[in-house]
Amino acid sequence: MTTEYIPLTTQAKERPNTNMADRRVTAVLVVSPEEPDEEEKQIREDFEDRLRERGVELKELELEEGVTVVTVSAGFELMCKCAEEIKLSLPTVAECYEIEDEGEDGIIDKIMGFFETDQEVDYISAPFRWDKKELFAGIEDPDTFFRSSLRSFLTHHILIRTDVSKKKDTSDGINIRGLNYLKLKGVYTDVFILHDRPSTLHRRKAFKEVDEDSKVVDPRKELWDSWKLWYKFQPLWKIRNYFGEKIAFYFAWIELYIMTLILPTIFGIIVFVYGIVYSGREIDLTATNHTGTNHTRTNDTGTNNTGTNNTGITNCNIVPEILNNGTDSNKSVSEQGLETSVTTALYDAFTVFNNPATPWFSLALCIWGTLFVEQWKRRSNSLKYEWDVSNFEQLEPDRPQFYGSKTRKNPITEEEEWYYPFYRLYLKISFSVLTIAFMVLLVIASTLGVIVFRAAFNAGQWLVPEPSAATLAALNNDTLAAAMKTEHKERNDLYTSVLSSVLNALAIMLLGFVYEKLAYILTNWENHRTQTAYDDALIIKLFAFQFVNNYASLIYIAFFKEGVSGTDDESGGMFGNPKWKDTCGYTDSGGNPLCYPMLVMQVAVLLILKPMPKFCKDVCLPIVLGLISKLKNRGNNDNVEAVNAGPEKTTELIDIIEEDRKLIAGDTDFTLSEYTEKCIMYGIIMLFGTVFPLAPLVALICNMVDVRVDGYRILWKNRRYIAQRAEDIGIWQYILELLNMVGVVVNSLILAFTLKGSPSIIYKEGKDGGNEYEPWMVAFAFEHVCFALKFIVSYIIPDVPSDVQFKMRKEQFQVNQLFEKGQPKKDSKPSPNGDSNPAV
């Protein structure tokens, strides 16, 4: 097998000519099964007539179960005009350049090359112009000029911007009555984009292996063959060419996230192992002499050893309350020994996470967060240059749903345009902020209400009342009476905990449902001009709820729960009532409540269980549904169609449409839920990773599994997502920076107050045996050191790599030269369509 250059035009000629009439079918409109009224008939006729006038080929087909669909095939010239309208950058035939590297590739370059999955090349691009179409590479081959994602994007753009209105009318809040308007009216019930088949391959590739048996390539299988290699980099160019820049940016971000998680994962494992060794030493000291008093234990030979604590260590040991209360004379020696073993095991488990290395790990997490964000800025700027979306947000067209209330002359084009007054948008956003703030406070109130409910019911024992005095007296045994009271209290606590958990879950689900609906309603009402502005406004609203919903309980445990636990029966409690307590379950050597063991458990459980619903939905549910489908179709194998059985088996257009229609219809915006989930886990690491050094390891494993699951399901199990363009990850970058800033503050407070007395170098024993430094001093010092280091790191790392800056200047110069001369240089090397040399 040899490798040689094959121009795209030659590749197109070598493809079989089967299904040529179906090759340009990109989108499918599903007609409403209900009998349309006269208005709906007229709207549909007007819409389809205008599409045909613009050069769109429509074809009505009948599928199974009487479903009627309309296939959409946009003409090449129409897509070119659309590309010019939105100033889409496409590869030119300009002479490309290559930055010469000094010397041969080093060992690092060779190692990194092993993990690469993309062999795509980057061409000099410029905004497309129809009158200069001969200057764009591959223009002579309409079948391959637009990559697959662009064909999807342009077709959908044409559909949503083909206006059926007779005159300008924004009384109903709709500026363009296109496809979205027809779906709102019920003319069409659904629209979806077809997945690529071997006979509908649209790609740009400069080099190809010559093999007579593999001239027709399945683009989905080709993409998945690269994607499924978990130990290699993701094929970002292929993802971009198939799904568009918005989804590709997400996978680029998650790839960098996974790579940078390796360092804190290694550091966290080291801290965890050190904690095990350290806790073992401290357990021996505590068992020998607990809290500085004589404590007797029996050694292996059966003799008693008595020791005193003269180590000088004043760390805050975890000592469950039973040890502080002494021994129970009613219990046997074996029972007391069992309780001591249990409490020692609990002590061993939690002192692992509070050791002298904890502050260093906290500092490392804060610095890692800054390094990750800065590295992503560089990666993002490189990709948006290579993918030709550097100016996307400046040139982004208006949303079809945007409507203007006034007209004005555009200062640049001097044409009349509709606009929406800024003061009205400002007033609407202000109202939305107040509404969202009220909803967030409502979520906090519901969380506090559940806490108060639990404390009140535990104090009053209302679910399982205490046995009456007569019942206890009838027992005539103090031990049995005490045991009965204890049993009733434990049952009441159990029922109260279960009931409060159910109420909390119901409150979160109900408020979450209402909040999400309200967020969409408010964002639509605000009337944002571009899709990027709309997405950013929606993300802020949704993430505000998720932030409070996921972190409220952790913040309460870390900073407030100890205050209502109390040190004895007469202290603490809610609303000044000592009986209304929400105890931590552990105390320190001085009898003070200690909640960080509960915080460790809560963080660990949240990190491990958080991805489970998504895993069940994306992995377990499709497997179960697939098995059910196979069982239903057993004995009728002719009708069984496997999605990934091989597109070559589906040759008829109706079969292709039917196959894609039966796939899972995903969310409109695939990235919204994915970013939300990953940023919530990122926030847990940044805010509370100090108490659980294995948090980066859990996140690393979850993300490595999730990214491959996502790739498989959007390729084979889900309908194809409509390609969307983007310049970066949007407002999620600012959310990451916000989480980094909040993480510094929270970590400093955790070290100073939650892990008070931590055995580390930032604490120093005073003359009275306590800490010489006040907690606020520790928090203040740690916070300022972190912020100073973060500022230095962000300052010395440039946002745009130097080679990208050079390429941008060089590309602008060559594009100007090309359009001035009107033709490429004669000595230029072949391009993707045989006219120029690809750039590296």
Side-chain angles (χ1 to χ4, degrees), residues 366-367 369-370 740-741 744 786-795:
C366 295
I367 303 304
T370 301
N740 286 345
M741 302 289 285
V744 172
C786 280
F787 278 129
L789 291 176
K790 288 167 70 69
F791 173 78
I792 294 173
V793 169
S794 61
Y795 180 78

Side-chain angles (χ1 to χ4, degrees), residues 4 12 22 72 113 118 146 334 339 341 571 574 587 618 676 695 724:
E4 67 178 46
D22 302 334
V72 180
D118 274 323
F146 293 108
S334 60
E339 288 185 351
S341 300
S571 63
M574 298 180 180
T587 59
D618 295 343
T676 301
Q724 298 183 55

